[in-house]
Amino acid sequence: MVKFVKSIKINQKVSIFLILALLSLSISFIYRLPLFSKPGLAIFDSDYEGELLAPASFIKNSILNKTSCLWNPYSLCGVPLAAFSNIGFFYMPNIITRLSFSPDMSNRILIFFHLFLTCIGLVLYVRLITHNLASSFVAALLFICCGPTMLTVCMASVHKLSTLSWWPWIFWITEKFIRTEKKIYLFLLSGGIGLSLLAGELQLFSLMLIFYSVYAIFAVRKNSGKKKYLLFRLFLSCLFGLLIGSIQLIPSAELTLLSARLRSFEASVSTSLPLSALLPLFLPYVDWFKEANSLEDILKFGSFFL
């Protein structure tokens, strides 16, 4: 009987390994043109070399030459590099890959890595809540093949993919903590929140954080209704994660407050805007429902999160 139980555990591990292998092959096949062809990501995005490769090369050369790279001359008319969140200046995977490989190769590696990272998180999370490996495989495969993922890869939006890739892990960590109450999961939750924030897509991160708050409330009530203090500990860990990512959040907020882009023509002065002006930075989707915006934009907003 003991041997039979052990054999089941081994088979489950083998099944998970085979699923992850199939998912990696699926990523390699579906995205073979942007990841493995000679033109690479430049096939689909004409601005790829100017908007992404130039700043990445500038950062790498500046660090290797031990010179300052605090100013980004390649975006708009020049912006502070730390405040331009799309670059992911403080995001550790970006730093490691950009120092180790060429800018184009590092972007390809980052896209493959974050696609596979998301798939692993989805497999773990869906398997935990459904107890079914087949369901977890289908969920991960749907993520690889769905339109928003393909659009993100074709546009070489590394920062968007990096931001989203940590959220399946965050949901899995949350479920594990609610069921086991082990403190290690609180530290992992803070790390996941911080990494997602440092990845650079602040608008997408803010939307996911709102969704996560609602999810956490219902998950705690469903699994441990009498232990309301669990919710407080979860939100406290999220707060620590925000503190980790504040090194990216603060300069981006300061730059936005001084930006003429958020001002009317009459109020275009050099003084800072009120804090309420930060709303379009984190929740620009609210502006999409104004009369001046087309129905097409509203449909794009809805389809992206579907």
Side-chain angles (χ1 to χ4, degrees):
M1 184 66 181
V2 175
K3 291 182 178 181
F4 177 71
V5 173
K6 288 184 178 180
S7 66
I8 292 177
K9 292 182 179 180
I10 293 173
N11 289 335
Q12 287 180 348
K13 293 179 181 179
V14 172
S15 299
I16 294 176
F17 175 78
L18 291 175
I19 285 175
L20 295 179
L22 286 173
L23 290 173
S24 64
L25 291 174
S26 300
I27 294 172
S28 302
F29 176 76
I30 294 173
Y31 298 104
R32 61 189 183 279
L33 285 178
L35 292 179
F36 302 111
S37 66
K38 187 175 182 180
L41 296 165
I43 295 177
F44 306 101
D45 190 358
S46 58
D47 298 328
Y48 171 68
E49 295 184 359
E51 291 188 2
L52 292 178
L53 294 188
S57 299
F58 175 68
I59 294 172
K60 178 180 180 178
N61 294 332
S62 298
I63 294 176
L64 293 179
N65 295 326
K66 299 179 180 180
T67 58
S68 172
C69 57
L70 299 179
W71 184 259
N72 177 14
Y74 299 100
S75 299
L76 304 177
C77 294
V79 293
L81 194 57
F84 195 66
S85 61
N86 290 359
I87 299 296
F89 186 73
F90 300 103
Y91 186 54
M92 189 56 64
N94 287 356
I95 298 173
I96 295 174
T97 54
R98 285 170 180 168
L99 290 178
S100 304
F101 304 95
S102 65
D104 180 54
M105 181 59 66
S106 67
N107 284 335
R108 300 188 194 203
I109 292 173
L110 285 170
I111 286 178
F112 183 89
F113 168 73
H114 287 103
L115 284 172
F116 191 59
L117 181 70
T118 310
C119 289
I120 298 175
L122 282 171
V123 168
L124 292 176
Y125 172 66
V126 177
R127 179 174 178 267
L128 180 65
I129 63 176
T130 65
H131 306 286
N132 192 322
L133 275 176
S135 300
S136 61
F137 173 71
V138 172
L141 193 62
L142 285 175
F143 164 76
I144 295 173
C145 301
C146 72
T149 303
M150 290 188 174
L151 181 62
T152 302
V153 173
C154 291
M155 292 178 63
S157 299
V158 180
H159 57 291
K160 291 182 180 180
L161 194 59
S162 304
T163 301
L164 283 173
S165 64
W166 296 102
W167 283 98
W169 290 90
I170 291 171
F171 289 121
W172 176 76
I173 291 168
T174 301
E175 290 287 345
K176 292 290 288 185
F177 171 72
I178 293 173
R179 300 178 188 203
T180 63
E181 298 186 36
K182 292 183 178 179
K183 295 181 180 179
I184 184 64
Y185 292 114
L186 294 177
F187 291 102
L188 293 175
L189 177 61
S190 298
I193 294 289
L195 285 169
S196 180
L197 180 54
L198 291 175
E201 184 55 48
L202 301 182
Q203 300 164 353
L204 195 54
F205 173 83
S206 62
L207 212 69
M208 290 301 301
L209 189 62
I210 294 172
F211 176 79
Y212 173 79
S213 301
V214 178
Y215 176 89
I217 293 172
F218 281 95
V220 170
R221 289 182 60 184
K222 179 181 178 181
N223 294 305
S224 54
K226 297 181 180 180
K227 301 178 180 179
K228 295 182 180 179
Y229 69 93
L230 291 179
L231 187 62
F232 172 76
R233 296 169 71 182
L234 284 173
F235 285 159
L236 190 62
S237 297
C238 291
L239 180 60
F240 281 120
L242 293 175
L243 289 176
I244 294 173
S246 62
I247 190 174
Q248 175 65 74
L249 187 62
I250 292 175
S252 298
E254 290 180 347
L255 178 65
T256 304
L257 288 175
L258 293 172
S259 174
R261 192 176 181 182
L262 295 179
R263 304 171 185 275
S264 63
F265 179 76
E266 295 80 10
S268 183
V269 291
S270 59
T271 55
S272 297
L273 287 174
L275 288 176
S276 59
L278 287 176
L279 182 63
L281 172 65
F282 300 105
L283 295 173
Y285 318 104
V286 177
D287 292 338
W288 284 13
F289 293 90
K290 293 181 179 179
E291 186 177 356
N293 292 318
S294 64
L295 179 62
E296 181 183 359
D297 291 333
I298 299 174
L299 292 176
K300 286 180 181 178
F301 163 68
S303 62
F304 182 82
F305 294 100
L306 180 61

